Structure formats: C-alpha cells, structure tokens
Amino acid sequence: MNKITLNGVWAFSFAKDKDLSNDLPEINFSTALAVPGCFDTVQPFFGERGTGFYKTSVRIGGNVRLCIDGAGVEAKIFWDKKYIGDMPYAYMPEKFYFDAGDDGEHELIVAVSNRFNKKFFPYFDFYAYGGIFGNVTIEKLPQYFLDNIKVTTLDYTTGRISVELDALKFIRKKCAVTFEIDNKKVFDGTFSGKKQSYELNVPNFKLWSPDSPALHKLRVIFDRYEEEVTFGIRTLEIRGTDLFLNGGKLRLMGYNRHDSHPQFGAAMPESLIAADLAMIKQQGCNFIRGSHYPQRKALLDLCDRNGILFWEETLGWDVRDEELFTGEFRRSQIDQAKKLANIHYNHPCIIIWGFMNETLSEDKRARKIIKSVYDAYKSVDSTRWVTFASNRYERDICMDIVDIVAMNPYPGWYDMKWEELSGIHNIEPRLQRLADAIPEDKPFMVSEIGASAIYGHRDPHRVRWSEEYQAELAAEVCRVVFGNPRICGLAFWHFCDAKSYLNGGRVMGVNDKGMLDQYRRPKLAWNVITETLKKLDFKGK
Ligand code: ADA
C-alpha cells in the first residue's frame, strides 16, 4: 500500500523528572531531533536518563497502521494527544492499528523513556540508549487488509512454498486473492476467516545461500489492497551434530555485533550498517549473532541481500534469579519470541532464534522458562534452530532442550590464573573439554569468545589489553575451532567496541573486545582473522 515514511527531524522535548504515563503532560517542544535517532548521544541530553518526547504531524485519516522499527528503553504512542499503545520491549519493532480520525493533519507523539526498568537492567554489558532506533511509517488501510504474510520453503528441490495470510480479524466476506511472484501471476483464489495457507511452486526458482543469495518477490493482491514481501528459498537441517543448508554442510564463522556507534547510539544510519556488513562479508565471514536484542529491518534486509546468516535474539541478558523466575519475566520472553518470529519470519538470513543470553541454566528452575521460550519460537516457526548462549558450561542442565548447544567460553581471557604470563595455551584444552561435555546428538557452537584490546595499544610483551595479545588469541581460536569438526560454528566476541557500563568493569566505559574500535578502525586481530580465513580458504563448509 502507500506507506508514508515519517523519518526526518521531529520536534523534541526532554523531561528528566517525568515518567512514562498514558496521560500526556503539557510539553513545550523547545528543540528538534532526528528520527531515527538517540537523544542521549547528543548535547544537551548526552548521557541523561528521563523521558524524551518526539512530535511530528502527518496528513492521513481513517484506519491506519503505524510501524515503528524499535525504540528504547520503552515508549508510549499518542495520536492527537490520545494514548494509542506501548513499546514495552527495547529494540522490538511494533505495529499499531487505530482509527486516525477524519482526513487531515494529525499529530503523532512518541514518548520514549531511557530509564532502566524490569527488562533492561543497569548491569547489562551494553548501553541503554534512549530514542527511536528504526524507521517510522504509517499507511491508510482499506476495510480488508493483512497483518502478516509468512512464506515457508516446503521443498527446496522443487521450489515449493507455502504462503500463510493472517488478516488480524475474522473476515466473513470471500476476498479475492492473487499472488504474483517476481511480477508473474501464479495464483488466483479467495480468502475468508482469519488465517489461510496456500501452497504453490515458485517459477524459475533460485536457492538462497551465502554464496548466492537469490531473493524472490511475492506480491499479494488482497481485495482492494496490495502487499509485497521478499523471501528466499532455503532449508535448514541437522544431521548428527552437523548443520546443513540446502543439503550442503554448513559451518558458521563471524561475529557478535552490537547496534552501537558513538555518534548514533542504537540508531545507526543504514549507510553505516551497510558498511559494517560489507566488512564482515569481505573478510570471508558468513555469520552474525545479533547480540543481544531484536534487529532493525534494514540490517536484516542487507543480510538477506549479502548472504550473511543471522542469529536474532530476545533481550534478556544474564537476568538475575529474583526476576528470572517470575511469571512476568517468562511471559515477556514468550511474548517477545512470538512477536520476533512473526515479524522477521520471511528473512532467509535468519537461521537461529535465540533468547536469554547467559542465564541460570545450571538451575533446575530454569528448565521451565527455557523450554517455554523454545516452544514459543517453535509454535510460530518450526523451520529454524532455537537456542540460547550459555556460560554455565559443563554445569548446564538445559543442553537437551535446544537445537544447537551454544557456549560463551573465554579461555585465555577470564579463566586465567593471575600469575600466568599468557592464557593462549588454555584455549585448545578448554574447547576440547567443553566439546566433550555436549550431548552426543547435539551440534555445538562457540557463540562468544575473545579478549579485550585497547585500540592503538601495542606492546612487544603482548600484555593483556594489547592489540598483540588479542590478535594472538584470535589466531589460536581460529586454529582450534577450524581444526575441530565437532564445533559447527564460531562467533567472536565481538565485531566492534561498544559503549557499556560507565564505571566499573569496563575500561573507559566501553566493552573493548571489538576486533574494530567504536569507529570501526581495525585492530591487529581483525587483520589476523582476515588472513586466517584466506589461508583456510573458508567457504562456510
Ligand atoms: C558475556 C556476554 C557479553 C559480554 C562478554 C564480555 O559473555 O554475553 O555480552 O558481556 O561476556 O565481554 O565479558
């Protein structure tokens, strides 16, 4: 349909002392800021915590859908000063359906609080940015419209797919439905009810893979309304402890990546996101773990186009037991998992759904929540792998629940003896012990591993925090992982340095284990990994 983009410069006001409320206070919009954008990356709001009010206006009327591709830490939406809905989860894209009133000029206010809450805790090892992180669009809807379209590969050898249409509300009328794939009509039929599935063959289909990321376009003409989605034809399988993509063996190699930049915070412009992905692809990697929250559509679209495999996860970083075992936390994880799997279902790049980084998976009580979030993902999407990144190692009692066991070990960095001169020699035995502890029928990947290095800090002794030590560790990790067929994937911690706790634990307030600094300048380790992948002739197999 005719989506109107609302990106641009909006009126802005910041209130340090105001909490989010469904009643909009009197606001004096004294300044203006960009959307998408993070108010706490620019003066005079830099580093402040409170509520930012963003205001714009748009000419529209009737029933509308408003889409906001992520905000943080939480937000409330107001239309002509009336409360419309919430964005309770940081980074999660949300859609709002409402009656916009008569055709004409209307006012939209997004109130965003960057205060910590019961889902984003101050101890998370990444900065809680405040702002609108992704694109904002609005569109006028006809009487009958679709909320979601899900395309699933049924048979990658014949190009057979299913298309599931979800109308949000029950439709009694028989609506005409036409499907066009790559501008060719492939189906004529009808729709009634709430959800309906169709099976069809994609003409002249091409498979999607990292080497050849072919995409197809599906246009759905529904009653008097049109919607377009991009999809890829590909299939994931586990055989024994190996991963397979379209019948070929798959090994993952890449990075954890935070959506973080000193100037833009979590609202990175698409040009910079594209530059990040180009670096990863050119280095020879095929994988990113989107640590530790939902991603922007622009990034996933680029991964689809570039053939970069992706792990996307819900926000829930090392949540402590007083929150973890509450019904509220479990419900919010289930809700996030279902939302995410529905919204990003059609991205062929996504191969893994993740949740709750480093949780108490050695505790019997954790099994219930891990199983319920796993099931929640599978209830929406049975075609992808589901897991969480564990740091409970041999003590983890939830490895049987997930599809791939993913561990975050830090040999050579955290688990070093004080008096050791170097920890590099620990890497091989540590990864081997870990591999031996994984259930025999489960694939095993290293979902994080790395060492800190301060950009520009060179040292002939290879001291900790030198670029040399990090580079040596990265080379050894590659040697060990690629020499061990039991390990099906590696994601270094992490792509680039990212803002974190301001005090305590993190030198200069930054998680400095990036292979690049915050401005994406390469440390030695980046070049070492580039060379290693070249020498190995890494092809993702
Ligand atoms: C953990 C965590 C990361 C980061 C890392 C580190 O494994 O998952 O977010 O905090 O440790 O740098 O220590």
Side-chain angles (χ1 to χ4, degrees), residues 12-21 23 25-28 39 45 48-53 111-115:
F12 183 77
S13 172
F14 179 72
K16 206 179 168 109
D17 52 345
K18 287 203 176 76
D19 282 329
L20 279 184
S21 143
D23 297 315
E26 271 303 311
I27 310 161
N28 170 23
F39 62 79
F45 317 110
E48 294 286 355
R49 298 226 169 264
T51 304
F53 297 90
V112 187
S113 163
N114 67 345
R115 288 211 182 80

Side-chain angles (χ1 to χ4, degrees), residues 234 371 409 411 429 516 532:
R234 56 124 189 80
K371 181 77 171 93
L516 311 167
T532 307

Side-chain angles (χ1 to χ4, degrees), residues 2 27 40 99 124 131 133 168 177 215 311 333 387 450 470 530:
N2 297 324
I27 310 161
D40 52 3
D99 178 359
F124 283 8
F133 301 162
L168 194 68
V177 173
L215 294 169
W311 162 330
Q333 281 294 319
T387 193
Q470 187 196 37
T530 308

Side-chain angles (χ1 to χ4, degrees), residues 73-89:
V73 169
E74 56 184 310
K76 284 189 186 285
I77 317 302
F78 300 87
W79 186 257
D80 292 336
K81 301 204 162 48
K82 240 181 53 216
Y83 165 77
I84 295 295
D86 285 327
M87 299 184 73
Y89 310 119

